[in-house]
């Protein structure tokens, strides 16, 4: 790796009658003139000489010097020409002497552009090799708000991925105890300082015998901005990158290390949407670390300790969801709504939506607000391979039609729901379903029923060996060939097209997987083909409408509220009497309805990268917070 060292400073004035003074980099050496680091006449000269010497010791060199330069420094007091004796190629950014604070920002931008141009040129000359840019900053020069400009410049340089290596400050000191040697003889006689007129005619209290430059390393003060930025980052975004970077080269206490580990663990688990158990264990460890922390007697930890109460206040709501038992075992109360709200508020919308859709069903079951007979739980698990638990299935995919629900018109969606629910019905042909007994009075409904009966009669003529392979699995090619014997050519055309459109590259979407997912017989295969045909649209018209002539009322997801009402009516799900808190059927149905709407409207849209141009993250954020707040207040 190639290393480039850069020095940046605000050029100080140089008095016309200025003389050379010794400078030190260690206050302890001041009383011993023989220990001086060198001599200089002007403050920037001190930093320049010191840096060149220190880099030389490490086998490096100063590669570039940038300076804000006023007209006074360049034309009146000769500071510009003086400093160029020690580094001829100083790159200047002219600075107006009486510039206001707002005007100064334009000079700051010019300086940043100059450094960026230099960086780009060096990268080109490196011909693909990695280049590390180390920035050294002399904070001594300038006036009024110059130091604030330099702080801003340092922050910008750090953002540009440059390493702030040294922050220096050179000050002129007056010490009567310091007596430099003259002609080899040290004088121990104190004498009062001389009064000398400076270049402006004002009295300047100093003595050449008593004046020296002391160079201070202020890097640690500047590094505090990294710690403050790290605290802000963790509070606002749940990231521990900056705060870990601040402590990475420090000798820290075990308690501090525990906190850093807990903060990083939480941040990592948040990024990947880890499982609920691991997420809340991570929060419990974070709370334990905060509560047991005792700052070591170091500047770094004492300063962190000043910021810790603010961090804890911002995390209070989600940390209160956890209690910690001891150093090895977590014991916690899971409040999923608090964490979902926090994630949405911090802008982690994908995480908030994922937690909401995956955790709310489990939360309701754990709190015994929803129950189900064991037989129904087992049946749900058997039907669905995509979910780990029965409750995830009923919240997202299960569809059990209930005759008690009033359906006044046979539409595409009504028929689609019945076909979906057939997995829990008997093996009778669909035309014997109670749906047709409820709404088969109209001529259109009767025609639909007759059409289904006719299609099924054709289907029953196909022998099983005509549509399965040697492994007794449904075979796509055999099914297509068998369908060609059907008398209804429109049905054959639509179904064959649907079969061919199944994506072979996605195993779960292949025709064979679609049909063989559960047990099957002739009735099941017939109904699976109808469902699959309905997925295909031609000019916006779905397959069941084209085949059976039923009105197409638009593709829409199952209303989870209606489905829960049905499941409660036939006792497939229940509200246990042992519920930790009271919840009514109405509240549960409303919760399920809103759950389904959010899952279909937002989570699926974002997860499949299909959001429209007018989709606003800010709107989703507020809606998500309102939803969680409302649910938490009701339950």
């Amino acid at each position: 790796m190639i290393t480039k060292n850069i020095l940046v400073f605000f050029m100080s004035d140089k008095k016309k009658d200025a003389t050379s003074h010794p400078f030190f980099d260690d206050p302890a050496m001041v009383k011993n003139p023989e220990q001086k680091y060198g001599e200089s006449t002007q403050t920037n000269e001190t930093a320049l000489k010191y840096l060149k010497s220190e880099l030389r010791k490490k086998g490096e060199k100063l590669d570039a010097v940038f300076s804000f330069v006023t007209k006074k420094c360049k034309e009146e007091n000769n500071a510009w020409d003086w400093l160029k004796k020690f580094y001829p190629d100083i790159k200047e950014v002219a600075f107006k002497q009486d510039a206001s604070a707002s005007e100064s920002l334009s000079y700051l931008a010019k300086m940043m552009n100059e450094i960026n141009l230099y960086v780009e040129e060096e990268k080109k000359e490196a011909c693909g090799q990695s280049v590390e840019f180390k920035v050294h900053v002399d904070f001594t020069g300038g006036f009024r708000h110059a130091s604030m400009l330099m702080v801003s410049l340092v922050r910008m340089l750090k953002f540009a991925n440059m390493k702030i290596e040294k922050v220096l400050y050179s000050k002129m000191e007056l010490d009567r105890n310091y007596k430099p040697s003259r002609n080899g003889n040290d004088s121990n006689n104190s004498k009062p300082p001389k009064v000398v007129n400076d270049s402006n005619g004002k009295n300047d209290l100093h003595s050449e015998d008593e004046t020296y430059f002391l160079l201070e390393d202020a890097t640690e003060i500047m590094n505090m901005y990294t710690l403050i930025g790290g605290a802000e980052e963790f509070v606002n975004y749940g990231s521990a990158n900056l705060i870990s970077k601040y402590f990475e080269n420090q000798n820290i206490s075990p308690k501090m290390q525990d906190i850093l580990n807990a903060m990083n663990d939480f941040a990592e688990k948040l990024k990947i949407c880890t499982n609920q158990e691991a997420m809340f264990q991570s929060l419990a460890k974070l709370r334990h670390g905060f509560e047991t922390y005792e700052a070591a007697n170091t500047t770094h930890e004492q300063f962190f300790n000043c910021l810790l109460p603010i961090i804890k206040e911002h995390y209070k709501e989600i940390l209160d969801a956890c209690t910690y038992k001891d150093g090895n075992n977590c014991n916690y109360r899971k409040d999923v709504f608090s964490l979902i709200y926090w994630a949405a508020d911090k802008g982690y919308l994908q995480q908030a939506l994922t937690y909401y859709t995956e955790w709310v069903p489990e939360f309701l079951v754990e709190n015994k607000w929803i129950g189900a007979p064991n037989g129904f739980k087992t049946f749900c698990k058997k039907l669905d391979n995509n979910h780990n638990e029965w409750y995830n299935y009923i919240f997202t995919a299960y569809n059990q039609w209930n005759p008690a629900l009033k359906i006044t018109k046979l539409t595409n969606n009504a028929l689609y729901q019945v076909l979906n629910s057939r997995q829990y019905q008997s093996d009778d042909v669909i035309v014997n379903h109670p749906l047709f007994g409820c709404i088969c009075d109209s001529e259109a409904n009767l025609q639909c029923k007759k059409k289904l009966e006719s299609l099924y009669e054709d289907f029953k003529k196909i022998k099983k060996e005509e549509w399965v392979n040697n492994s007794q699995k449904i075979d796509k090619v055999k099914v297509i060939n068998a369908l060609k014997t059907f008398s209804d050519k429109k049905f054959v055309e639509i179904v064959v097209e649907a079969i061919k459109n199944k994506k072979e590259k996605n195993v779960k979407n292949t025709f064979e997987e679609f049909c063989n997912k559960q047990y099957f017989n002739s009735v099941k295969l017939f109904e699976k083909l109808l469902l699959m045909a309905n997925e295909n649209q031609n000019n916006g018209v779905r397959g069941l409408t084209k085949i059976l002539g039923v009105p197409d009322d638009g593709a829409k997801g199952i209303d989870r509220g209606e489905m829960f009402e049905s499941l409660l009516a036939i006792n497939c799900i229940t509200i246990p009497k042992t519920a930790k808190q009271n919840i009514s059927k109405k509240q549960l149905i409303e919760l399920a309805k809103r759950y389904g709407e959010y899952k279909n409207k937002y989570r699926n849209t974002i997860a499949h990268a299909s959001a429209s141009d007018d989709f606003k993250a800010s709107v989703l954020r507020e809606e998500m917070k309102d939803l969680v707040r409302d649910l938490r207040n009701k339950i």
Side-chain angles (χ1 to χ4, degrees):
M1 177 183 286
I2 300 173
T3 299
K4 295 293 180 179
N5 288 284
I6 302 170
L7 173 63
V8 185
F9 58 82
F10 208 118
M11 191 171 289
S12 296
D13 292 346
K14 177 182 174 296
K15 295 177 181 179
K16 293 180 180 179
D17 60 348
T19 58
S20 178
H21 300 284
F23 71 85
F24 302 85
D25 65 337
D26 185 349
M29 300 299 178
V30 171
K31 294 182 180 181
N32 187 353
E34 301 303 323
Q35 297 297 319
K36 66 182 179 182
Y37 197 95
E39 291 196 356
S40 61
T41 304
Q42 186 249 21
T43 52
N44 300 132
E45 178 190 344
T46 306
L48 187 56
K49 286 182 174 179
Y50 171 81
L51 189 57
K52 289 176 67 176
S53 176
E54 289 297 302
L55 290 174
R56 195 180 301 115
K57 292 176 185 177
K58 298 191 295 184
E60 299 179 21
K61 65 184 180 69
L62 188 58
D63 298 284
V65 176
F66 295 85
S67 176
F68 290 108
V69 183
T70 63
K71 183 178 180 181
K72 182 179 179 181
C73 285
K74 195 165 185 180
E75 299 179 4
E76 296 181 23
N77 58 44
N78 205 32
W80 170 258
D81 290 334
W82 179 259
L83 288 176
K84 285 175 73 71
K85 292 179 181 179
F86 309 106
Y87 198 92
D89 189 24
I90 298 176
K91 297 174 175 60
E92 68 168 305
V93 170
F95 195 96
K96 186 180 176 184
Q97 182 81 19
D98 57 350
S100 66
S102 57
E103 287 177 318
S104 299
L105 295 177
S106 63
Y107 300 115
L108 178 64
K110 289 178 182 177
M111 176 61 79
M112 191 66 198
N113 287 334
E114 286 293 323
I115 296 174
N116 281 336
L117 287 172
Y118 167 77
V119 167
E120 291 304 314
E121 287 298 321
E122 292 299 321
K123 285 181 178 179
K124 287 180 182 177
E125 290 186 13
C127 300
Q129 294 185 70
S130 297
V131 184
E132 180 184 38
F133 294 93
K134 295 180 180 179
V135 179
H136 310 261
V137 186
D138 175 16
F139 263 72
T140 311
F143 51 91
R144 292 182 297 176
H145 49 267
S147 59
M148 294 301 297
L149 285 178
M150 294 300 285
V151 168
S152 300
L153 180 62
V154 168
R155 301 295 295 275
M156 292 171 71
L157 292 170
K158 288 188 74 171
F159 180 73
N161 204 30
M162 298 184 206
K163 183 179 180 181
I164 307 302
E165 188 75 4
K166 283 280 186 183
V167 176
L168 302 170
Y169 185 82
S170 178
K171 61 180 180 179
M172 182 177 284
E173 292 283 2
L174 183 66
D175 188 349
R176 294 180 180 180
N177 293 320
Y178 168 65
K179 298 293 180 185
S181 60
R182 290 184 177 277
N183 299 322
N185 298 316
D186 289 340
S187 173
N188 294 317
N189 297 320
S190 296
K191 57 182 178 180
K194 298 176 183 179
V195 178
V196 180
N197 289 333
D198 66 11
S199 57
N200 295 319
K202 296 181 180 179
N203 291 338
D204 183 18
L205 187 65
H206 77 281
S207 167
E208 292 183 4
D209 291 342
E210 299 169 345
T211 304
Y212 63 92
F213 289 106
L214 180 61
L215 193 66
E216 294 183 344
D217 187 341
T219 308
E220 281 303 316
I221 297 176
M222 189 57 62
N223 284 343
M224 287 298 179
Y225 285 99
T226 302
L227 179 58
I228 296 169
E232 289 178 339
E233 181 186 58
F234 191 69
V235 162
N236 293 324
Y237 309 111
S239 172
N241 291 337
L242 269 181
I243 209 161
S244 297
K245 186 176 182 180
Y246 174 77
F247 282 106
E248 65 182 356
N249 295 320
Q250 307 293 345
N251 184 19
I252 60 176
S253 66
K255 290 287 186 182
M256 187 70 241
Q257 189 62 59
D258 287 344
I259 283 188
L260 290 178
N261 290 342
M263 292 171 77
N264 278 293
D265 183 63
F266 169 75
E268 289 301 309
K269 285 180 168 56
L270 180 65
K271 290 174 186 175
I272 61 174
C273 286
T274 191
N275 65 78
Q276 187 179 139
E277 183 80 11
M279 194 73 231
F280 278 89
Q281 279 196 4
S282 180
L283 275 172
K285 289 177 180 177
L286 186 63
R287 175 175 176 171
H288 177 67
F290 285 167
E291 290 178 348
T292 59
Y293 176 66
E294 295 179 2
N297 190 26
T298 65
T299 303
H300 309 96
E301 292 199 34
Q302 291 291 336
F303 198 57
F304 173 80
N305 200 40
C306 295
L307 302 175
L308 185 56
I310 304 167
I311 297 173
K312 289 166 67 174
E313 182 62 30
H314 280 274
Y315 274 76
K316 184 179 186 302
E317 186 171 10
I318 56 174
L319 292 179
D320 283 350
C322 306
T323 55
Y324 206 91
K325 187 176 180 181
D326 56 48
N328 297 313
N329 299 307
C330 293
N331 210 3
Y332 52 85
R333 173 178 63 85
K334 289 187 274 188
D335 180 359
V336 297
F337 292 120
S338 290
L339 186 55
I340 295 168
Y341 184 92
W342 180 90
D345 186 51
K346 299 301 181 185
Y348 282 95
L349 299 181
Q350 186 69 274
Q351 283 85 343
L353 286 168
T354 301
Y355 293 156
Y356 176 74
T357 55
E358 299 298 328
W359 291 359
V360 167
E362 181 181 354
F363 179 81
L364 295 173
V365 172
E366 282 192 349
N367 284 273
K368 299 184 178 179
W369 289 328
I370 297 178
N374 289 332
F376 181 68
K377 295 177 184 178
T378 303
F379 183 76
C380 287
K381 289 181 180 180
K382 180 180 179 181
L383 290 180
D384 187 73
N385 294 327
N386 294 325
H387 301 91
N388 294 323
E389 298 292 347
W390 65 273
Y391 44 78
N392 292 111
Y393 183 47
I394 64 167
F395 264 93
T396 57
Y398 183 78
N399 187 2
Q400 167 62 47
W401 185 81
N402 177 19
L405 295 178
K406 294 181 179 179
I407 299 177
T408 58
K409 186 178 182 181
L410 186 61
T411 64
N412 188 299
N413 274 317
L415 191 55
Y416 180 77
Q417 289 189 37
V418 170
L419 286 168
N420 260 339
S421 72
R422 293 286 293 159
Q423 297 171 102
Y424 197 54
Q425 299 293 331
S426 66
D427 290 338
D428 290 340
V429 68
I430 189 171
V431 291
N432 294 327
H433 192 275
L435 171 70
F436 291 95
C438 296
I439 57 171
C440 65
D441 296 336
S442 70
E443 182 64 25
N445 293 341
L446 290 172
Q447 291 298 321
C448 176
K449 182 177 180 179
K450 288 180 180 179
K451 184 74 170 178
L452 280 170
E453 287 175 335
S454 174
L455 288 171
Y456 187 57
E457 285 302 314
D458 274 353
F459 196 85
K460 285 195 298 185
K461 295 175 184 177
I462 304 175
K463 297 178 181 179
K464 185 176 179 179
E465 55 267 22
E466 293 182 56
W467 43 270
V468 298
N469 57 27
N470 294 332
S471 301
Q472 294 300 297
K473 296 289 185 180
I474 295 174
D475 183 276
K476 178 171 69 176
V477 176
K478 285 192 169 187
V479 171
I480 291 174
N481 289 332
L483 285 172
K484 292 178 181 178
T485 63
F486 272 47
S487 56
D488 191 321
K489 301 304 178 185
K490 180 185 289 187
F491 170 79
V492 174
E493 178 186 347
I494 294 171
V495 172
V496 170
E497 181 185 3
I499 293 173
K500 290 180 177 180
N501 283 346
K502 277 295 175 184
K503 297 179 181 178
E504 294 291 349
K505 64 181 180 181
N506 188 331
V507 175
K508 289 185 178 180
N509 280 337
T510 64
F511 171 73
E512 288 81 3
E513 186 70 15
F514 182 78
C515 293
N516 289 315
K517 189 174 182 181
Q518 291 92 29
Y519 64 93
F520 64 85
N521 53 36
S522 59
V523 173
K524 297 301 179 189
L525 180 58
F526 176 55
E527 293 173 0
K528 289 255 185 201
L529 292 174
L530 289 174
L531 278 171
M532 191 168 54
N534 205 46
E535 294 178 2
N536 273 20
Q537 293 190 31
N538 187 1
N539 296 324
V541 181
R542 291 182 290 169
L544 286 175
T545 296
K546 289 189 286 185
I547 293 170
L548 302 173
V550 293
D552 194 338
D553 44 352
K556 61 181 181 181
I558 306 300
D559 186 313
R560 286 290 111 190
E562 292 182 6
M563 187 51 55
F564 266 62
E565 185 178 357
S566 171
L567 290 169
L568 286 166
I570 58 178
N571 294 318
C572 279
I573 61 172
T574 60
I575 299 177
K577 294 181 180 179
T578 55
K580 293 183 179 180
Q581 297 181 35
N582 293 326
I583 183 172
S584 66
K585 287 186 178 181
K586 183 179 179 180
Q587 287 176 317
L588 181 58
I589 291 168
E590 175 65 18
L591 190 152
K593 178 180 177 66
R594 296 188 71 178
Y595 176 92
E597 288 174 350
Y598 243 73
K599 183 175 184 295
N600 294 327
K601 182 179 179 181
Y602 290 126
R603 198 265 185 154
N604 291 347
T605 299
I606 294 176
H608 297 293
S610 57
S612 59
D613 290 342
D614 58 353
F615 193 96
K616 302 294 183 184
S618 58
V619 174
L620 171 58
R621 178 185 176 215
E622 294 307 315
E623 286 192 16
M624 193 77 199
K625 289 165 62 178
D626 289 342
L627 169 67
V628 175
R629 188 187 297 114
D630 186 47
L631 289 175
R632 190 165 49 183
N633 291 337
K634 285 183 177 179
I635 296 176

